[in-house]
Amino acid sequence: MFAIVLGMLIVVCGVLFLRLHAFLALFFATLVVAAATTAHCVYDSAIDNQTAQVAAASNQQLELIGVGDQFGAKPGAYYLVRDDDDIAKLETTSVWVEKFEATDNGTTAILRDGLSDSGSSIGTLLISQTAYDKAVQLAKTSPTNRVANALGDTFGKIGVLIAMASIIGQCLLQSGAAERIVQSIRESLGEKWTALAFVISSFILAIPVFFDTVFFLMLPLAQAMAQRTGRDYLKYVMSIIVGGTLAHSLVPPTPGPLFVASELNVSIGAMAIGGIAVGVWGVIAGYFYMIWANRRWIIPLRVHNSSADAAPTQASQLPSFGLSILPVVVPIFLLAMKTVNQTWMSDLSSPLMPIWNTAISFLGDKNVALSLGAVLAMLTLILKPDMTWVELGKSVQKALGEGGVVILITCAGGAFGEMIRQTNVGASIADSLPASVSGTGLLAMAFFVTMIIRVIQGSATVAMIAAIGIVVPVATQIGLPFHPVYLALAIGCGSKPLPWMNDSGFWVISRMSGFTEQETLKTFSVLLTIMGFVSFLATVVCALCFPLV
């Protein structure tokens, strides 16, 4: 626990007081946690939930209790391990298990050969030789190598996805596709519903584009509307925040939800569908607060933005709405189809099903789906008048440069979470929790842990990355009575409440929109807090009503 507290202090103090880049703060904290973790803790974390305890033994039978979720219970080579605080002094006995049988009292392992001293086996742990060898090897690995391996593992999970998402966002902005999406939605709803159009547009754009970029893109439109009507400036600004901020924390491929989903082994399609499903309720609550706040407080347009005076780009110079929306819709559709196919369609009997399963498995792969989205986004840019392949290459290079920084931060956060997991904190916290803590209690824990980290250090993405390292081991120990996507959504919801002066987004919105600090606190901060709590309540209700297990 000391190592975790020290690591968290390094992250918080490094970001807040020393003004270190988030990657450096996370990386230094990761090294410290790894160095302070004993080999025995690393070993315990590696075998967690992969063992079963021997309660009774006879010549060729072992009565097992406390069988872990990842034990496997498959015939093969196993070790009987008697624990010791020193990894070098672990005592092992090799056995071959012919089969496992379920009994009223637990599980029985049938051995091929008899035990010479069955009485000494009582209290030992049964573990597969493969799992044991991996755990011992990991425990003997140096801290720096463990950190390096964790960095590489995280990149393998999400590095390509973030790079492709960056390309999609950059190309949508430069091609005018993002502007086309906003204009089309606004025209379809009419000027009376401009604020609603801004909500829908920002929600859609924030799926592949980072929230601050969406805000920069749409703020001139909000200012232009306020200049034209002479009122409702607060409503137009808040409508952008309402739509964009929840997608940033709940719907991949933005880094936070993408990383959380990968750590919980939740498919990107399931995370996207779940994020939209619970995020809608937060958006509705935020929309009503926006209407109330706009009636209560009159905040004038104080910032003069030249882009707000400029005439909108001619429709003929923008790509069509269909082409503009494809880079966003196609990846989401493919990811969702893979999830639907695996859940409901894979067992259907049809001569074409093997071909269909193969095709949707390939196209619905997260890396393939996002790559196709990036190709479609580049298509919107290359079809722009006077666009050359050289300029396209520069745009992609810029996107990858910006995405590379995000990848570094996310990978460092993943390594930090893995080092926290290797301290075996999950078992310690799970043992200290009341027996009644399960299900909704675990969701509440995930939500409030993320919220506390968010309030302390400011970044929603860093809060999600740091919280997952604490929450996952506990969830593994306790077990989930519902689909893990709900735990991922609870963490995403917890990254929203109580943003204040240590959040870069707070200052972006305050300075760009011309709000004072007090105005930003009572509008932006309260808005995100309401949306986070409402979305969390929607998550809890969905988990109880539709556990999906």
Side-chain angles (χ1 to χ4, degrees), residues 52-57 63 81-83 118-126:
Q53 187 175 13
V54 178
E63 302 296 331
V81 183
R82 188 167 296 280
D83 200 5
S118 58
S120 63
S121 303
I122 298 175
T124 60
L125 297 178
L126 183 67

Side-chain angles (χ1 to χ4, degrees), residues 78-399:
Y78 283 79
Y79 281 132
L80 290 171
V81 183
R82 188 167 296 280
D83 200 5
D84 192 285
D85 290 339
D86 189 345
I87 294 296
K89 296 181 180 179
L90 290 173
E91 299 178 9
T92 62
T93 301
S94 179
V95 296
W96 184 274
V97 179
E98 290 283 357
K99 63 179 179 178
F100 290 90
E101 295 180 349
T103 64
D104 295 336
N105 298 325
T107 303
T108 300
I110 309 299
L111 306 183
R112 182 182 63 186
D113 304 314
L115 293 172
S116 58
D117 185 5
S118 58
S120 63
S121 303
I122 298 175
T124 60
L125 297 178
L126 183 67
I127 181 174
S128 72
Q129 291 187 9
T130 301
Y132 174 82
D133 292 340
K134 287 182 178 179
V136 172
Q137 182 180 1
L138 181 65
K140 294 180 178 180
T141 303
S142 68
T144 52
N145 284 339
R146 286 191 282 119
V147 171
N149 292 335
L151 285 167
D153 290 342
T154 307
F155 179 84
K157 293 178 181 178
I158 60 175
V160 174
L161 303 180
I162 294 177
M164 294 301 108
S166 299
I167 294 174
I168 293 173
Q170 182 69 24
C171 292
L172 288 183
L173 293 175
Q174 287 202 309
S175 66
E179 186 175 349
R180 165 64 79 182
I181 293 172
V182 175
Q183 286 189 10
S184 298
I185 294 176
R186 180 183 158 201
E187 289 172 1
S188 64
L189 294 176
E191 187 167 317
K192 178 182 178 181
W193 299 100
T194 297
L196 180 59
F198 284 172
V199 171
I200 298 172
S201 301
S202 60
F203 189 89
I204 293 174
L205 291 175
I207 293 174
V209 183
F210 298 126
F211 171 71
D212 55 352
T213 306
V214 173
F215 188 77
F216 292 146
L217 167 72
M218 297 189 62
L219 182 62
L221 301 176
Q223 293 171 337
M225 285 300 301
Q227 286 179 346
R228 183 183 307 173
T229 62
R231 65 180 190 277
D232 295 336
Y233 178 54
L234 174 60
K235 180 173 73 173
Y236 295 134
V237 172
M238 290 181 71
S239 65
I240 301 172
I241 302 170
V242 167
T245 185
L246 272 181
H248 178 74
S249 292
L250 293 177
V251 184
T254 46
L258 183 65
F259 177 75
V260 169
S262 66
E263 289 296 293
L264 287 168
N265 294 318
V266 174
S267 70
I268 306 302
M271 186 67 185
I273 295 172
I276 293 173
V278 303
V280 164
W281 296 102
V283 168
I284 292 173
Y287 187 84
F288 281 110
Y289 178 75
M290 173 193 76
I291 299 297
W292 178 86
N294 186 64
R295 292 173 178 172
R296 182 173 178 84
W297 300 301
I298 305 298
I299 299 180
L301 174 60
R302 306 186 183 103
V303 178
H304 182 78
N305 192 328
S306 59
S307 60
D309 296 330
T313 305
Q314 295 295 322
S316 60
Q317 299 177 355
L318 298 176
S320 66
F321 177 77
L323 181 60
S324 299
I325 202 71
L326 276 180
V328 181
V329 172
V330 168
I332 294 176
F333 174 77
L334 292 174
L335 293 168
M337 280 304 301
K338 182 178 180 180
T339 301
V340 171
N341 185 68
Q342 291 176 338
T343 306
W344 292 293
M345 299 174 60
S346 58
D347 295 331
L348 296 179
S349 58
S350 170
L352 296 178
M353 282 308 297
I355 299 176
W356 164 259
N357 289 334
T358 302
I360 201 63
S361 177
F362 173 75
L363 295 175
D365 178 81
K366 56 187 179 181
N367 291 314
V368 174
L370 266 292
S371 298
L372 288 175
V375 171
L376 292 171
M378 288 189 285
L379 181 63
T380 65
L381 187 56
I382 198 62
L383 293 177
K384 186 178 180 181
D386 301 326
M387 175 60 62
T388 65
W389 287 101
V390 174
E391 292 174 338
L392 175 64
K394 291 180 180 179
S395 297
V396 172
Q397 183 177 356
K398 179 181 179 182

Side-chain angles (χ1 to χ4, degrees), residues 349-545:
S349 58
S350 170
L352 296 178
M353 282 308 297
I355 299 176
W356 164 259
N357 289 334
T358 302
I360 201 63
S361 177
F362 173 75
L363 295 175
D365 178 81
K366 56 187 179 181
N367 291 314
V368 174
L370 266 292
S371 298
L372 288 175
V375 171
L376 292 171
M378 288 189 285
L379 181 63
T380 65
L381 187 56
I382 198 62
L383 293 177
K384 186 178 180 181
D386 301 326
M387 175 60 62
T388 65
W389 287 101
V390 174
E391 292 174 338
L392 175 64
K394 291 180 180 179
S395 297
V396 172
Q397 183 177 356
K398 179 181 179 182
L400 292 177
E402 295 174 352
V405 176
V406 178
I407 291 172
L408 282 175
I409 295 173
T410 309
C411 288
F416 182 56
E418 176 61 18
M419 294 307 106
I420 290 178
R421 190 190 67 79
Q422 290 181 8
T423 65
N424 206 29
V425 66
S428 301
I429 296 177
D431 292 341
S432 65
L433 291 175
S436 59
V437 175
S438 63
T440 55
L442 188 58
L443 291 179
M445 173 193 167
F447 176 80
F448 286 107
V449 165
T450 311
M451 185 180 72
I452 291 170
I453 299 174
R454 151 77 149 160
V455 172
I456 291 174
Q457 55 79 45
S459 169
T461 301
V462 173
M464 295 175 70
I465 291 172
I468 195 69
I470 298 174
V471 172
V472 168
V474 180
T476 304
Q477 288 286 328
I478 295 177
L480 294 176
F482 41 70
H483 196 284
V485 69
Y486 293 117
L487 189 61
L489 294 174
I491 292 173
C493 295
S495 70
K496 292 293 96 180
L498 303 175
W500 59 296
M501 281 79 164
N502 64 348
D503 177 17
S504 61
F506 178 95
W507 294 109
V508 167
I509 291 170
S510 175
R511 291 297 176 258
M512 292 294 295
S513 61
F515 291 0
T516 65
E517 286 83 357
Q518 183 180 1
E519 290 169 344
T520 309
L521 284 170
K522 67 184 182 183
T523 56
F524 168 70
S525 300
V526 175
L527 174 67
L528 261 63
T529 301
I530 291 173
M531 294 173 68
F533 273 93
V534 170
S535 297
F536 172 66
L537 291 177
T539 301
V540 173
V541 171
C542 289
L544 293 175
C545 297

